C-alpha cells in the first residue's frame, strides 16, 4: 500500500464538518482559559490530503495554543482538557470519542451499519517557542517517570517561517515540487514503519527541502539548482 492524493471535491464536506467542530472546540477551550486556533496542515496548500491505498483517509489539523492559564503548564492537564472539549464538540454524530495517540488526538467516523472507519481527523497540539519554531505535545505512553507516562513538548526543527517559505515557493510557481516531495516522504516513512513523522512534520520537511533547493539566503533563485 502507498499514500496517494485525494481529490479536493471528495473531501469538501468533511473539511466543512471538521471546521465547524474545531471552531466549537476553540469556543469551549476559551471558556476554560485556553486561547487556541486551528489550521489544516499546510493550510492554504490545497490538494495535499492523502489516503493509504483504498483505506479511509483523514484530515490533519494543528491546534495552536497561543495563551493559557498557568494551570495548563501541566501538559497532561492541557491535553486532557483539549480532548474533553473535542469530545463535546463532536457529540451527537457518528464519531467515537477521540483517541489519545502519541502525537495527536484522533476522532473516528464510522459507517452507520458497520464498525469500519469511514473517515478520521487528527489534531496535533502545538505551540511556538521563543525561537519561533513549533513545538508538538507528545504523549510518551511507554516512558514512565515516577510511575506516570510522560508528556513532553518536542520541537519541530526548522519550522520557523515555514508559511513565509511556502508562500514564496507558490509565488514562483514551484508548488508542485512541494506536493511531489511531500508524497514521496509520506511513503518513505510508511515503508520504514516510522510513526514519529506525522503530516505536519513531513510538510515542514518538504517545504524546507524545496525552499533550500531553489532559494539562497538572499531570497532569490539558486541559479545552479535550476539547470
Amino acid at each position: 500500500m502507498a499514500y496517494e492524493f485525494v481529490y479536493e471535491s471528495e473531501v469538501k464536506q468533511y473539511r466543512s464538518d471538521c471546521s465547524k467542530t474545531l471552531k466549537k472546540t476553540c469556543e469551549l477551550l476559551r471558556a476554560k482559559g485556553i486561547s487556541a486556533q486551528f489550521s489544516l496542515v499546510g493550510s492554504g496548500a490545497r490538494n495535499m490530503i492523502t489516503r493509504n491505498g483504498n483505506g479511509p483517509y483523514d484530515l490533519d489539523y494543528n491546534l495552536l495554543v497561543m495563551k493559557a492559564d498557568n494551570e495548563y503548564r501541566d501538559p497532561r492537564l492541557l491535553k486532557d482538557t483539549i480532548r474533553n472539549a473535542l469530545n463535546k464538540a463532536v457529540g451527537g454524530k457518528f464519531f467515537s470519542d477521540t483517541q489519545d495517540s502519541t502525537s495527536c488526538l484522533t476522532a473516528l467516523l464510522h459507517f452507520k451499519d458497520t464498525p469500519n472507519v469511514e473517515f478520521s481527523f487528527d489534531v496535533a497540539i502545538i505551540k511556538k517557542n521563543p525561537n519561533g519554531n513549533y513545538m508538538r505535545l507528545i504523549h510518551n505512553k511507554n516512558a514512565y517517570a515516577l510511575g506516570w507516562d510522560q508528556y513532553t513538548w518536542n520541537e519541530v526543527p526548522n519550522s520557523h517561517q515555514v508559511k513565509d517559505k511556502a508562500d514564496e515557493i507558490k509565488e514562483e510557481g514551484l508548488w508542485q515540487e512541494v506536493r511531489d516531495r511531500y508524497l514521496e516522504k509520506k511513503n518513505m516513512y510508511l515503508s520504514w514503519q516510522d510513526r514519529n513523522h506525522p503530516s505536519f512534520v513531513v510538510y515542514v520537511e518538504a517545504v524546507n527541502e524545496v525552499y533550500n533547493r531553489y532559494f539562497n539566503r538572499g531570497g532569490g533563485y539558486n541559479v545552479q539548482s535550476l539547470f
Side-chain angles (χ1 to χ4, degrees):
M1 305 293 275
Y3 283 108
E4 58 185 30
F5 287 119
V6 181
Y7 289 111
E8 174 67 17
S9 59
E10 189 175 348
V11 298
K12 185 176 181 180
Q13 184 59 52
Y14 287 128
R15 284 173 61 123
S16 176
D17 290 343
C18 287
S19 179
K20 292 176 183 177
T21 298
L22 289 168
K23 283 180 181 177
K24 178 63 175 178
T25 301
C26 288
E27 292 173 3
L28 294 170
L29 290 175
R30 194 176 304 117
K32 294 286 188 178
I34 300 171
S35 175
Q37 65 182 26
F38 69 91
S39 62
L40 191 62
V41 168
S43 182
R46 308 282 287 184
N47 304 323
M48 290 183 68
I49 298 165
T50 58
R51 160 192 279 140
N52 185 359
N54 295 321
Y57 57 87
D58 59 14
L59 296 178
D60 297 284
Y61 287 87
N62 285 333
L63 187 75
L64 174 63
V65 177
M66 298 176 292
K67 188 177 180 180
D69 291 347
N70 285 338
E71 62 186 301
Y72 297 112
R73 291 182 179 179
D74 176 0
R76 179 189 301 274
L77 177 61
L78 177 64
K79 190 169 189 181
D80 283 346
T81 303
I82 293 173
R83 183 171 63 85
N84 289 335
L86 186 56
N87 281 340
K88 188 173 182 179
V90 300
K93 299 181 181 179
F94 293 99
F95 282 101
S96 59
D97 280 352
T98 54
Q99 298 178 355
D100 180 6
S101 65
T102 301
S103 60
C104 61
L105 297 168
T106 301
L108 303 175
L109 177 63
H110 297 274
F111 287 107
K112 296 181 181 180
D113 55 353
T114 75
N116 295 333
V117 174
E118 176 182 2
F119 168 79
S120 68
F121 67 93
D122 293 334
V123 180
I125 302 167
I126 66 173
K127 68 176 182 178
K128 278 193 171 183
N129 66 15
N131 295 326
N133 278 336
Y134 288 102
M135 309 281 287
R136 294 185 301 135
L137 181 54
I138 302 297
H139 181 187
N140 297 308
K141 298 182 180 182
N142 296 321
Y144 289 88
L146 301 178
W148 293 86
D149 43 348
Q150 189 180 61
Y151 289 76
T152 59
W153 288 99
N154 287 10
E155 185 174 28
V156 181
N158 303 313
S159 55
H160 181 54
Q161 295 182 331
V162 67
K163 182 182 183 303
D164 293 338
K165 292 177 180 178
D167 288 344
E168 192 168 353
I169 291 169
K170 290 180 198 174
E171 288 172 4
E172 298 296 341
L174 298 167
W175 193 250
Q176 185 60 43
E177 299 218 17
V178 174
R179 283 170 49 83
D180 292 344
R181 189 63 186 130
Y182 177 76
L183 197 61
E184 289 170 2
K185 293 180 73 66
K186 289 270 287 189
N187 282 316
M188 177 185 71
Y189 289 128
L190 177 65
S191 69
W192 293 351
Q193 297 185 333
D194 182 336
R195 294 179 176 83
N196 295 318
H197 286 80
S199 294
F200 178 53
V201 174
V202 178
Y203 173 75
V204 169
E205 290 180 354
V207 169
N208 278 315
E209 287 182 18
V210 174
Y211 186 88
N212 292 336
R213 184 185 307 156
Y214 287 107
F215 297 92
N216 58 33
R217 293 183 179 179
Y221 275 122
N222 181 340
V223 178
Q224 289 182 343
S225 68
L226 293 176
F227 298 94

